[in-house]
């Protein structure tokens, strides 16, 4: 992924244009954008390198923020700094922890860190908030299109307790949907039947005309690939919500 950086030109463009150009175009535009290492791994290396030198200033905080955005969770940064403390020095670790606590602050941890941990547990991206279909979901869901040609394949992620409404896939011929569970725990239920607990590796074949719902467990994020089976005149009929009363009965 190509990184667009303008900090050098914004802050030093007039005073040190060459340094600004090297910072923005070479360090970030080339080195950071090289895909041989992931952004997450580059953040890890950078944070440890700066900490070992005692460069615990605003640039260190910037790289801590980047590390968080690149997928390093709070418990991981705590382990990284603790490990590095034995090689870079205990006082440097204390200073690093003070900044890390500001970046991974307590108010954000319960949601964002769990989301990051869930993302790290699977190879597919969580994607963006599934706002186009939010009226058909209880809670927040996320959508990442993986294939739009030949066969539609989408990674759908549910936060804990999130589920979609009862719905029915229709088609004159073919059609239906296949769910391939890739991370976390969730449920699938057909109308008139008991719910089925889903976990990583489970596959569900959903025929046309069957009223059903699927979503996350109460205490777990959940992701599945939704594979759209090709058919003629396919459509989706959205029905009522899965009530809190019925959902709370799930074990």
């Amino acid at each position: 992924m190509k990184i667009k950086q303008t900090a050098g030109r914004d802050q030093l463009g007039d005073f040190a244009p060459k340094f600004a150009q090297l910072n923005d175009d070479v360090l970030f535009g080339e080195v950071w954008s090289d895909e041989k290492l992931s952004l997450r791994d580059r953040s890890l290396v950078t944070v440890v390198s700066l900490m070992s030198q005692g460069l615990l200033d605003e640039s260190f905080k910037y790289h801590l923020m980047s590390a968080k955005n690149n997928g390093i969770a709070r418990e991981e940064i705590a382990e990284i700094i603790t490990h590095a403390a034995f090689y870079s020095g205990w006082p440097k670790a204390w200073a690093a922890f003070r900044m890390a606590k500001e970046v991974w602050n307590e108010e954000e941890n319960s949601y964002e860190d769990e989301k990051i941990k869930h993302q790290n547990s699977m190879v597919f991206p969580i994607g963006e908030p599934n706002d186009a279909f939010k009226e058909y979901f209880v809670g927040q869901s996320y959508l990442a299109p993986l294939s739009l040609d030949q066969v539609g394949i989408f990674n759908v992620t549910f936060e804990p307790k999130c589920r979609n409404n009862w719905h029915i896939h229709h088609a004159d011929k073919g059609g239906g949907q296949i769910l391939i569970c890739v991370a976390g725990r969730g449920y699938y239920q057909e109308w008139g039947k008991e719910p089925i607990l889903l976990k990583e590796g489970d596959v569900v074949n959903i025929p046309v005309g069957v009223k059903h719902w699927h979503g996350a467990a109460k205490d777990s994020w959940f992701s599945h690939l939704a594979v759209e089976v090709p058919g003629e005149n396919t459509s989706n009929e959205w029905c009522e919500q899965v009530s809190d009363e019925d959902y709370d009965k799930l074990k």
Side-chain angles (χ1 to χ4, degrees):
M1 182 179 67
K2 189 75 172 178
I3 296 178
K4 178 67 174 179
Q5 176 65 269
T6 63
R9 289 183 173 87
D10 292 343
Q11 300 179 40
L12 294 172
D14 293 336
F15 190 79
K18 184 61 179 178
F19 181 90
Q21 181 263 325
L22 291 171
N23 182 85
D24 295 350
D25 300 342
V26 178
L27 175 58
F28 287 96
E30 295 180 15
V31 176
W32 271 85
S33 297
D34 191 317
E35 295 182 354
K36 293 185 183 68
L37 279 179
S38 68
L39 291 177
R40 182 182 186 279
D41 289 345
R42 290 187 185 278
S43 284
L44 192 159
V45 172
T46 303
V47 166
V48 173
S49 297
L50 292 175
M51 175 182 159
S52 65
Q53 297 177 73
L55 300 176
L56 305 174
D57 54 9
E58 285 302 310
S59 66
F60 182 72
K61 187 174 183 178
Y62 165 82
H63 283 290
L64 287 175
M65 295 171 64
S66 295
K68 181 180 179 181
N69 293 334
N70 289 335
I72 295 179
R74 178 181 63 161
E75 62 183 18
E76 292 175 313
I77 195 65
E79 187 66 21
I80 289 166
I81 295 174
T82 300
H83 184 87
F86 287 92
Y87 299 90
S88 62
W90 220 248
K92 293 174 183 175
W94 271 105
F97 271 125
R98 292 189 186 97
M99 283 195 175
K101 285 185 66 177
E102 293 179 17
V103 175
W104 282 266
N105 65 70
E106 295 294 335
E107 293 180 359
E108 296 177 358
N109 282 334
S110 59
Y111 190 89
E112 288 301 324
D113 273 6
E114 290 303 317
K115 180 181 174 184
I116 290 172
K117 287 170 60 179
H118 183 72
Q119 173 65 87
N120 291 342
S121 72
M122 61 179 172
V123 298
F124 301 105
I126 284 179
E128 301 298 324
N130 189 18
D131 292 340
F133 291 88
K134 63 182 180 181
E135 63 181 301
Y136 307 120
F137 284 75
V138 175
Q140 180 65 60
S141 66
Y142 298 83
L143 186 67
L146 303 179
S147 172
L148 299 176
D149 298 326
Q150 297 179 296
V151 177
I153 303 177
F154 304 84
N155 188 29
V156 185
T157 295
F158 305 77
E159 69 179 5
K161 297 184 180 181
C162 176
R163 66 269 190 190
N164 51 29
N165 290 8
W166 290 97
H167 57 286
I168 306 170
H169 302 295
H170 295 288
D172 292 342
K173 184 179 180 180
Q177 190 178 61
I178 301 171
L179 306 182
I180 303 173
C181 306
V182 294
R185 292 182 299 106
Y187 290 97
Y188 169 79
Q189 183 178 18
E190 295 182 359
W191 188 262
K193 297 183 179 181
E194 291 297 312
I196 300 171
L197 179 65
L198 300 177
K199 58 186 182 302
E200 181 179 348
D202 289 339
V203 177
V204 179
N205 294 88
I206 307 173
V208 295
V210 174
K211 188 174 181 179
H212 65 283
W213 70 270
H214 34 105
K218 302 173 186 177
D219 58 350
S220 175
W221 286 74
F222 177 59
S223 292
H224 65 59
L225 304 187
V227 182
E228 298 178 348
V229 180
E232 296 179 2
N233 297 320
T234 60
S235 63
N236 194 45
E237 177 186 354
W238 290 102
C239 307
E240 70 272 23
Q241 291 184 353
V242 178
S243 68
D244 290 339
E245 181 180 1
D246 286 341
Y247 181 82
D248 289 340
K249 294 177 182 177
L250 298 173
K251 298 181 180 179

